[in-house]
Amino acid sequence: MNKKELLENVRTIPDFPIKGILFYDVTTLFKNAECLKYMVDDLYDYYKDKGITKVVGIESRGFVLGGAIAEKLNAGLIMARKPGKLPAEIMEETYDKEYGKDTIQIHKDALSKDDVVLLHDDLLATGGTMAACERVVKQFGVKKIYVNFIIEIEDLKGREIFPKDIDIHTLLSVHEHN
């Protein structure tokens, strides 16, 4: 397994969720044991010496590798969710998406100033969801924040909206109309 083979296992769906969007479906990577192992091993190798104490997986596809990499790093898993999903007190951030507004929430007791945090989601397009999550996590005063995606759509330049000191790592890079 290599990154080229990994990319070949990503299903693309045109005009989803709206016309003009090419959707990169990572569920095809999750169902393939070889792909899943490759992704977890690659992420572990990249982050194993960075002192990660918590992994924040973003709803919902970010929970899959977020949980797997948290276990392998011996770190806790925090779920960043859409409104109405978390039962205790929350911190939240509202952001613009390609097709509307949304909000991301994390429990108020999820992180501390001693944490080194890895934020994980499946796809970097315009970056709005992850940037909102990064802003929420920053409010906890954590030691360091790392950001990770399975796929980055380079043409959309989503990484440009993050602070320059944020380490952003992606497994695969694609162009808008691969």
Side-chain angles (χ1 to χ4, degrees), residues 133-157:
C133 191
E134 184 268 336
R135 290 191 302 270
V136 170
V137 169
K138 193 174 273 182
Q139 291 175 40
F140 286 91
V142 300
K143 288 181 180 177
K144 176 95 175 136
I145 299 172
Y146 294 93
V147 170
N148 172 259
F149 301 91
I150 298 171
I151 301 171
E152 174 180 6
I153 304 174
E154 288 184 347
D155 306 4
L156 298 179
K157 302 186 185 313

Side-chain angles (χ1 to χ4, degrees), residues 109-129:
D109 62 356
L111 299 166
S112 76
K113 292 179 182 352
D114 296 326
D115 283 315
V116 176
V117 181
L118 170 59
L119 307 181
H120 171 75
D121 204 1
D122 65 324
L123 181 76
L124 172 56
T126 60
T129 305

Side-chain angles (χ1 to χ4, degrees), residues 131 134-135 138 159-168:
E134 184 268 336
R135 290 191 302 270
K138 193 174 273 182
R159 68 174 49 227
E160 293 178 6
I161 70 169
F162 293 92
K164 298 295 177 232
D165 64 331
I166 298 286
D167 179 319
I168 301 172

Side-chain angles (χ1 to χ4, degrees), residues 12-145:
T12 55
I13 302 168
D15 299 323
F16 184 84
I18 60 171
K19 189 165 180 52
I21 301 286
L22 179 61
F23 186 82
Y24 289 88
D25 180 10
V26 295
T27 64
T28 52
L29 298 176
F30 297 156
K31 76 177 184 177
N32 180 316
E34 220 180 309
C35 291
L36 188 58
K37 181 178 180 0
Y38 179 88
M39 292 186 297
V40 171
D41 289 348
D42 186 277
L43 292 176
Y44 175 74
D45 287 343
Y46 188 83
Y47 291 108
K48 67 184 176 189
D49 298 322
K50 300 197 184 308
I52 307 288
T53 59
K54 299 283 187 330
V55 175
V56 175
I58 297 179
E59 185 166 328
S60 64
R61 290 176 298 275
F63 297 165
V64 177
L65 278 187
I69 193 64
E71 188 278 330
K72 197 151 183 169
L73 290 170
N74 197 31
L77 175 67
I78 307 302
M79 293 182 287
R81 307 231 35 204
K82 301 289 170 78
K85 305 281 186 171
L86 294 173
E89 269 191 87
I90 53 100
M91 294 175 70
E92 67 180 12
E93 185 80 26
T94 298
Y95 60 97
D96 292 319
K97 291 176 65 166
E98 298 90 316
Y99 33 86
K101 285 195 177 297
D102 215 336
T103 300
I104 198 81
Q105 300 179 331
I106 297 176
H107 275 140
K108 272 191 175 179
D109 62 356
L111 299 166
S112 76
K113 292 179 182 352
D114 296 326
D115 283 315
V116 176
V117 181
L118 170 59
L119 307 181
H120 171 75
D121 204 1
D122 65 324
L123 181 76
L124 172 56
T126 60
T129 305
M130 182 63 82
C133 191
E134 184 268 336
R135 290 191 302 270
V136 170
V137 169
K138 193 174 273 182
Q139 291 175 40
F140 286 91
V142 300
K143 288 181 180 177
K144 176 95 175 136
I145 299 172

